[in-house]
């Protein structure tokens, strides 16, 4: 089409949720391979229509499991801020690719579409922008030395390290940066990976141990390298804290404060797993090879410190040779996590420059903290392995749930039967969403609606449908009433005088109480609505 252009949006054949996403696309009138055709000149309304169409497809393509399970959020028009950013940047990459292949007339139209999309990215960035307060009394001298060391090795950065109140050390923009700008670039030569273990004297010992993973080897290497005064990475290790303050370091009082929460089990299981792993290695390695594994450097406390280091600071990096490795990235480790990150894709070495580039997915203003996404993690996971709860309402704070839907399954094929696990979440989004749907999984609602739509419209069946609704809601209500009873009142904790771990434990428990409370409110309201409709049916009989 010389007088226009075409852009292909394709759902990957290897997507783990291909079948579910295909159904969503088909329901909206799209295919898994959708070609968007446009004229070489579009007015403002046509541009908006084209962009909306492409976004509808891109949103579905980039759904993760939680977003796919719960469906679109009422009133917002999209699944989550993360999903919207992914979709927008996906389309932007397609437009940029098309711009490099089209003739001048087509380029003009593509440029208009790109400008319209960037405006939307700006709008989303403005909505989710968070104001941070910098502690000017914290000098960050060691951190500045590390940045200088990295720059001497070829690193580039448009960020400076500062202490952000409520977040610890963070990376602050030194200038305004746009979508696509590189905020930081780290050469592969200063990335800490398993390759360093292979060059060390401990590798000949560790490679003979059955089940020894490269991640564990790297962890053991860092325990010793931390104390090596001649290490190439001494500057990096000098900036690391003595204590990482993750959930793995919670004391007895904090653990007791978590009783009744999902986090209690997660921390206990994680610590038990690590203790078993440590006991399998030590003191045997130190006794057999004291020169390579000095016992004073390989205590349980040192092992736990190294575990927290790798859990909270490591990144999965795809190297130019195609190998995926768990690495520590000097300087980049100061980038904090956000539910609305500036940087989403950062895990692949650029083969041309042999460096890791942190490219912006949305703008970052001068003085603003530049954040990335550690992953789509729940608050319990972030506390256990990173030591913090994110600011704002986390859509991944879900509660796993087991419930029976046999009655509905007998009516019609139920979407719930396609899921191996079920979950609910609290009222973290829109206030104008019908309270009956707060926290309830989309597959359950779709299942009930699908059952109704495929049945003859009779009063008897309408009544039967509502009785099924009531039973499901009562089961949910019973489950979460029991859960609420196990969550003691958090107001009894004196946060002013409490230790960091007790404060964090109390913060999590309060969050879980809010989620459970909102689900109970939803169930209660739903039951009342159903009972009201049932009473009307009986009155008409």
């Amino acid at each position: 089409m010389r007088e226009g252009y075409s852009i292909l949006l394709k759902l990957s054949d290897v997507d783990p949720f291909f079948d579910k996403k295909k159904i969503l696309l088909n329901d909206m009138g799209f295919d898994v391979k959708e070609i968007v055709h446009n004229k070489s000149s579009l007015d403002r309304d046509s541009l908006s229509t084209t962009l909306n169409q492409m976004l509808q497809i891109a949103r579905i393509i980039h759904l993760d499991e939680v977003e796919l399970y719960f469906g679109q959020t009422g009133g917002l028009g999209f699944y989550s801020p993360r999903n919207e950013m992914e979709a927008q940047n996906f389309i932007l990459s397609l437009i940029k690719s098309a711009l490099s292949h089209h003739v001048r007339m087509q380029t003009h139209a593509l440029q208009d579409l790109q400008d319209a999309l960037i405006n939307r990215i700006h709008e989303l960035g403005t909505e989710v922008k968070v104001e941070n307060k910098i502690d000017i009394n914290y000098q960050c001298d060691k951190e500045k030395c590390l940045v200088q060391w990295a720059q001497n090795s070829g690193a580039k950065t448009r960020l400076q390290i500062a202490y952000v109140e409520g977040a610890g050390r963070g990376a602050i923009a030194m200038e305004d940066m746009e979508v696509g700008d590189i905020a930081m670039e780290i050469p592969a030569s200063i990335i800490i990976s398993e390759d360093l273990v292979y060059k060390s004297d401990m590798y000949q010992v560790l490679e003979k141990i059955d089940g020894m993973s490269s991640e564990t080897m790297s962890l053991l290497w860092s325990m010793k390298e931390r104390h090596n005064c001649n290490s190439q990475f001494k500057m990096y290790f000098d900036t690391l804290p003595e204590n990482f303050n993750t959930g793995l370091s919670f004391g007895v009082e904090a653990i007791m404060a978590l009783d009744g929460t999902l986090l209690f089990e997660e921390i206990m299981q994680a610590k038990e797993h690590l203790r078993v792993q440590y006991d399998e290695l030590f003191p045997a390695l130190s006794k057999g090879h004291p020169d390579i594994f000095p016992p004073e450097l390989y205590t349980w406390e040192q092992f736990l410190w190294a575990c927290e280091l790798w859990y909270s600071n490591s990144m999965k990096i795809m190297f130019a040779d195609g190998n995926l490795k768990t690495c520590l990235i000097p300087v980049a480790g100061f980038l904090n996590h956000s539910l609305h990150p500036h940087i989403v894709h950062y895990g692949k070495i650029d083969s041309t420059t042999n460096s890791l580039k942190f490219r912006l997915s949305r703008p970052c203003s001068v003085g603003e903290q530049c954040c990335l996404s550690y992953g789509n993690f729940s608050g319990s996971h972030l506390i256990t392995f990173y030591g913090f709860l994110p600011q704002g309402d986390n859509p991944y704070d879900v509660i796993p749930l087991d419930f029976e839907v046999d009655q509905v399954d007998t009516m019609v094929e139920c979407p719930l039967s396609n899921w191996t696990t079920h979950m609910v979440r609290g009222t973290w989004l829109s206030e104008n969403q019908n309270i009956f749907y707060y926290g309830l999984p989309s597959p359950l609602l779709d299942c009930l609606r699908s059952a109704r739509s495929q049945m003859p419209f009779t009063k008897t069946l309408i009544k039967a449908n509502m009785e099924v609704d009531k039973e499901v809601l009562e089961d949910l209500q019973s489950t979460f009433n029991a859960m609420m009873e196990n969550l003691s009142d958090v107001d009894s904790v004196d946060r002013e005088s409490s230790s960091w771990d007790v404060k964090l434990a109390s913060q999590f428990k309060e969050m879980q109480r809010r989620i459970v409370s909102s689900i109970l409110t939803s169930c209660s309201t739903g039951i009342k609505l159903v009972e009201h409709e049932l009473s009307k049916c009986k009155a008409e009989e």
Side-chain angles (χ1 to χ4, degrees):
M1 296 178 63
R2 288 190 58 82
E3 294 185 357
Y5 61 87
S6 301
I7 295 179
L8 172 66
L9 291 87
K10 179 183 176 182
L11 174 62
S12 172
D13 295 339
V14 297
D15 190 300
F17 303 106
F18 179 87
D19 292 335
K20 295 182 176 69
K21 292 181 180 181
K22 179 181 178 180
I23 292 172
L24 278 178
L25 288 169
N26 292 163
D27 287 345
M28 298 182 71
F30 303 122
D31 200 353
V32 292
K33 294 181 181 179
E34 192 71 27
I35 299 177
V36 177
H37 300 287
N38 277 294
K39 298 179 181 179
S40 57
S41 179
L42 293 175
D43 57 31
R44 186 172 180 177
D45 290 340
S46 298
L47 268 177
S48 180
T49 299
T50 298
L51 201 50
N52 286 335
Q53 179 186 9
M54 296 175 72
L55 279 170
Q56 283 181 310
I57 301 169
R59 287 165 184 156
I60 294 175
I61 290 175
H62 287 88
L63 287 173
D64 62 24
E65 183 178 14
V66 172
E67 292 160 347
L68 189 59
Y69 188 86
F70 283 96
Q72 285 197 353
T73 54
L76 290 184
F78 54 79
Y79 295 86
S80 76
R82 181 215 67 86
N83 175 266
E84 189 70 358
M85 187 185 301
E86 289 268 24
Q88 290 176 346
N89 278 268
F90 171 65
I91 296 173
L92 185 61
S93 67
L94 295 179
I95 295 173
K96 288 184 175 180
S97 176
L99 277 168
S100 65
H101 294 92
H102 285 73
V103 299
R104 184 174 181 180
M105 186 182 298
Q106 297 164 333
T107 300
H108 179 73
L110 284 166
Q111 187 64 55
D112 288 343
L113 187 63
Q114 177 176 274
D115 292 343
L117 179 58
I118 289 178
N119 284 337
R120 292 208 183 190
I121 294 175
H122 274 264
E123 290 171 1
L124 180 63
T126 300
E127 291 175 8
V128 300
K129 187 174 181 178
V130 176
E131 297 296 331
N132 296 113
K133 188 175 181 181
I134 308 301
D135 185 351
I136 59 176
N137 295 319
Y138 193 98
Q139 298 302 312
C140 295
D141 292 334
K142 288 184 177 180
E143 292 79 3
K144 291 177 182 177
C145 290
L146 177 64
V147 172
Q148 187 59 60
W149 166 82
Q151 288 176 326
N152 292 341
S153 300
K156 302 174 185 177
T157 182
R158 299 165 74 175
L159 309 170
Q160 62 180 346
I161 311 306
Y163 195 89
V164 183
E165 291 189 5
R169 296 178 298 183
I172 311 300
M174 294 188 289
E175 57 187 279
D176 290 336
M177 290 181 285
E178 261 298 342
V179 180
D181 286 349
I182 298 172
M184 185 182 294
E185 182 176 353
I186 305 296
S189 60
I190 62 171
I191 292 177
I192 298 173
S193 72
E194 61 198 60
D195 294 341
L196 295 168
V197 183
Y198 303 149
K199 301 173 184 177
S200 69
D201 56 358
M202 65 175 61
Y203 179 65
Q204 60 183 338
V205 176
L206 297 178
E207 68 171 338
K208 298 175 183 177
I209 301 176
D210 290 338
M212 175 63 65
S213 67
S214 58
E215 285 83 3
T216 301
M217 288 187 189
S218 298
L219 186 151
L220 297 175
W221 173 87
S222 64
M223 291 174 69
K224 187 175 182 180
E225 193 71 9
R226 175 190 182 191
H227 301 282
N228 180 5
C229 295
N230 298 316
S231 171
Q232 171 193 357
F233 300 97
K234 184 179 187 306
M235 199 76 70
Y236 170 72
F237 284 105
D238 285 348
T239 63
L240 297 175
E242 288 296 319
N243 300 292
F244 283 99
N245 291 351
T246 73
L248 298 173
S249 292
F250 271 18
V252 175
E253 188 178 357
I255 294 293
M256 291 178 64
L258 288 172
D259 188 32
T261 69
L262 300 174
L263 180 55
F264 176 86
E265 291 295 332
E266 187 163 345
I267 289 179
M268 296 303 292
Q269 290 176 9
K271 292 194 73 168
E272 181 181 359
H273 169 76
L274 293 179
R275 187 74 215 198
V276 169
Q277 186 180 22
Y278 175 79
D279 290 341
E280 289 176 348
L281 298 172
F282 299 99
L285 281 176
S286 293
K287 287 182 177 179
H289 309 276
D291 54 329
I292 298 177
F293 300 98
E296 67 274 13
L297 300 185
Y298 286 91
T299 64
W300 161 247
E301 290 74 21
Q302 299 261 29
F303 180 79
L304 186 59
W305 179 91
C307 289
E308 290 182 290
L309 164 64
W310 282 86
Y311 280 138
S312 62
N313 282 265
S314 66
M315 301 179 187
K316 289 281 189 182
I317 303 300
M318 177 71 73
F319 281 77
D321 59 5
N323 288 322
L324 184 66
K325 303 172 184 177
T326 302
C327 306
L328 296 174
I329 320 292
V331 183
F334 295 123
L335 289 162
N336 286 323
H337 171 79
S338 173
L339 297 174
H340 312 291
H342 300 86
I343 302 166
V344 177
H345 301 292
Y346 52 85
K348 188 175 182 180
I349 296 289
D350 187 318
S351 58
T352 303
T353 59
N354 198 30
S355 63
L356 188 63
K357 297 179 180 180
F358 294 83
R359 197 180 301 273
L360 296 185
S361 294
R362 70 177 178 90
C364 187
S365 305
V366 60
E368 183 180 359
Q369 182 181 194
C370 187
C371 296
L372 49 71
S373 171
Y374 292 173
N376 302 328
F377 297 133
S378 65
S380 62
H381 182 96
L382 290 170
I383 286 180
T384 302
F385 299 106
Y386 294 91
F388 70 90
L389 272 175
Q391 290 184 340
D393 295 313
N394 185 357
Y396 299 97
D397 280 327
V398 299
I399 297 176
L401 184 67
D402 292 322
F403 56 87
E404 298 296 330
V405 289
D406 293 342
Q407 285 180 284
V408 185
D409 281 333
T410 60
M411 300 181 190
V412 67
E413 184 181 355
C414 180
L416 278 177
S417 63
N418 296 323
W419 295 88
T420 56
T421 59
H422 306 301
M423 46 195 157
V424 292
R425 65 182 178 193
T427 58
W428 64 274
L429 284 169
S430 174
E431 288 299 327
N432 56 24
Q433 193 175 2
N434 189 327
I435 195 168
F436 176 66
Y437 298 133
Y438 273 171
L440 300 184
S442 179
L444 174 60
L445 298 174
D446 290 343
C447 188
L448 297 174
R449 291 166 182 155
S450 179
R452 294 178 189 139
S453 67
Q454 296 187 30
M455 286 188 169
F457 191 77
T458 67
K459 289 183 178 180
T460 301
L461 288 174
I462 291 173
K463 182 180 176 182
N465 287 335
M466 288 191 291
E467 287 174 345
V468 170
D469 286 3
K470 183 171 181 271
E471 184 176 343
V472 171
L473 289 168
E474 286 175 341
D475 286 345
L476 287 169
Q477 187 180 52
S478 176
T479 297
F480 285 97
N481 270 328
M483 186 175 291
M484 182 63 87
E485 290 175 2
N486 290 328
L487 295 170
S488 58
D489 192 350
V490 295
D491 294 336
S492 60
V493 177
D494 183 2
R495 295 195 178 184
E496 292 298 323
S497 59
S498 296
S499 58
W500 67 271
D501 53 346
V502 173
K503 290 179 182 178
L504 195 52
S506 301
Q507 188 181 354
F508 178 83
K509 178 172 275 191
E510 183 177 351
M511 178 200 72
Q512 190 161 336
R513 282 177 60 89
R514 288 199 306 269
I515 293 175
V516 174
S517 176
S518 68
I519 294 169
L520 286 172
T521 299
S522 172
C523 291
S524 178
T525 302
I527 291 170
K528 290 178 182 177
L529 288 172
V530 174
E531 287 177 340
H532 177 69
E533 293 300 320
L534 283 171
S535 65
K536 287 170 61 178
C537 288
K538 290 179 180 179
E540 294 173 359
E541 290 177 352

